[in-house]
Amino acid sequence: MAKTIVITGAGVGLGRALARRFAADGDNVVLLGRTAAKVEAAAAEIGDRAMPVGCDVSSPDSVRAAFAKIAERHSSIDVLINNAAIFEPFLIENAKDEQILSTIATNLGGPMLCARAAIPMMKSGSYIINVSSESVAMNFPHLSVYQSSKAGMERFSESLFHELGPRGIRVSNVRAGAMYEEGKVWDADIDAQIAFGTAAAAVGINLREKAISQFTSVTDVFRALIDLPADLQAASISLHARKAD
């Protein structure tokens, strides 16, 4: 039976790859993204099973409006994947107000706001998946705010796991490693990229040699999670890229 799957940050990257995968599997997908043109383009490529909705997950009003629009087409939500995130390396002493506040509001506040909006539309058997990062457990320089936002989201996932368990709604936290797809470009200040790479190398992390997985490979894990038998659940799993044989 086709599921209705809502994916945040679905205009590019992993979110778009997940939308493509689930639609190809016969599910209905709702693509949420801050830039409406990106989710509209992705939905047009995917076809009739895709519904694009412009949504800034850091804004309570934007989230409320987006889920009201979803309700006009779908009476219930089977899966919510909180994937939208801001990844921007910087030293805290040099951070601008907007860099700190937008990262926390999107990476931590976003999953909270979207979960709050989605839960009333969910039934027993539904699923919330929060996408975290392997960097939470690593000594990664220049990522203090990003790591803190993801660590906070993991704590939120655990609390939600216990809060929604009695209602039959499963919650998983997925720590993902470095991912890539053809044509992906890291849109960051070049000086910040250089400083990040230099600082990472100083602590033994060579970004040029670090293994990177394909988004399409990672979608297999999300498919497996969503299709878990009713008597199984996974509170948290970790994915790490490896160099293919």
Side-chain angles (χ1 to χ4, degrees):
M1 185 175 179
K3 298 181 184 297
T4 297
I5 302 175
V6 178
I7 307 166
T8 71
V12 296
L14 177 61
R16 182 173 60 186
L18 288 168
R20 288 170 174 164
R21 168 63 186 271
F22 295 137
D25 290 344
D27 294 312
N28 300 309
V29 292
V30 180
L31 290 73
L32 299 187
R34 182 167 49 187
T35 304
K38 290 183 178 179
V39 290
E40 288 167 0
E45 172 204 318
I46 291 169
D48 293 341
R49 290 192 173 277
M51 175 186 180
V53 181
C55 177
D56 178 356
V57 300
S58 70
S59 164
D61 288 340
S62 183
V63 170
R64 273 190 285 267
F67 278 83
K69 189 172 182 179
I70 293 170
E72 293 175 1
R73 179 164 169 179
H74 299 286
S75 61
S76 63
I77 293 171
D78 297 298
V79 182
L80 167 66
I81 300 178
N82 283 312
N83 167 71
I86 291 175
F87 176 87
E88 186 177 3
F90 51 78
L91 290 172
I92 192 68
E93 65 180 302
N94 300 328
K96 300 175 183 177
D97 294 348
E98 178 61 20
Q99 287 177 307
I100 295 173
L101 297 177
S102 62
T103 299
I104 297 298
T106 298
N107 298 5
L108 177 56
M112 293 179 175
L113 294 174
C114 289
R116 182 180 68 175
I119 290 168
M121 297 177 66
M122 293 182 144
K123 303 173 183 177
S124 178
S126 297
Y127 213 140
I128 296 176
I129 302 176
N130 295 318
V131 182
S132 185
S133 166
E134 67 175 0
S135 69
V136 170
M138 300 174 67
N139 177 26
F140 239 125
H142 292 226
L143 291 180
S144 59
V145 178
Y146 176 77
Q147 289 173 305
S148 297
S149 68
K150 288 298 189 178
M153 191 197 67
E154 290 191 6
R155 177 61 255 186
F156 172 63
S157 289
E158 185 173 346
S159 296
L160 207 58
F161 175 87
H162 295 291
E163 183 176 323
L164 298 180
R167 295 171 58 174
I169 300 174
R170 291 183 286 192
V171 179
S172 288
N173 175 76
V174 178
R175 275 189 186 177
M179 293 174 282
Y180 179 79
E181 71 177 347
E182 201 64 38
K184 178 179 170 59
V185 176
W186 185 19
D187 185 19
D189 178 81
I190 187 63
D191 291 333
Q193 292 186 45
I194 293 172
F196 177 51
T198 301
V203 296
I205 302 173
N206 188 327
L207 297 179
R208 291 183 179 276
E209 296 182 0
K210 195 173 186 299
I212 301 178
S213 61
Q214 295 289 321
F215 287 128
T216 51
S217 299
V218 177
T219 64
D220 288 341
V221 178
F222 284 79
R223 179 80 265 173
L225 275 176
I226 291 172
D227 292 342
L228 281 176
D231 60 344
L232 289 177
Q233 59 184 339
S236 182
I237 65 172
S238 295
L239 305 177
H240 301 279
R242 66 183 291 269
K243 293 185 178 180
D245 297 330

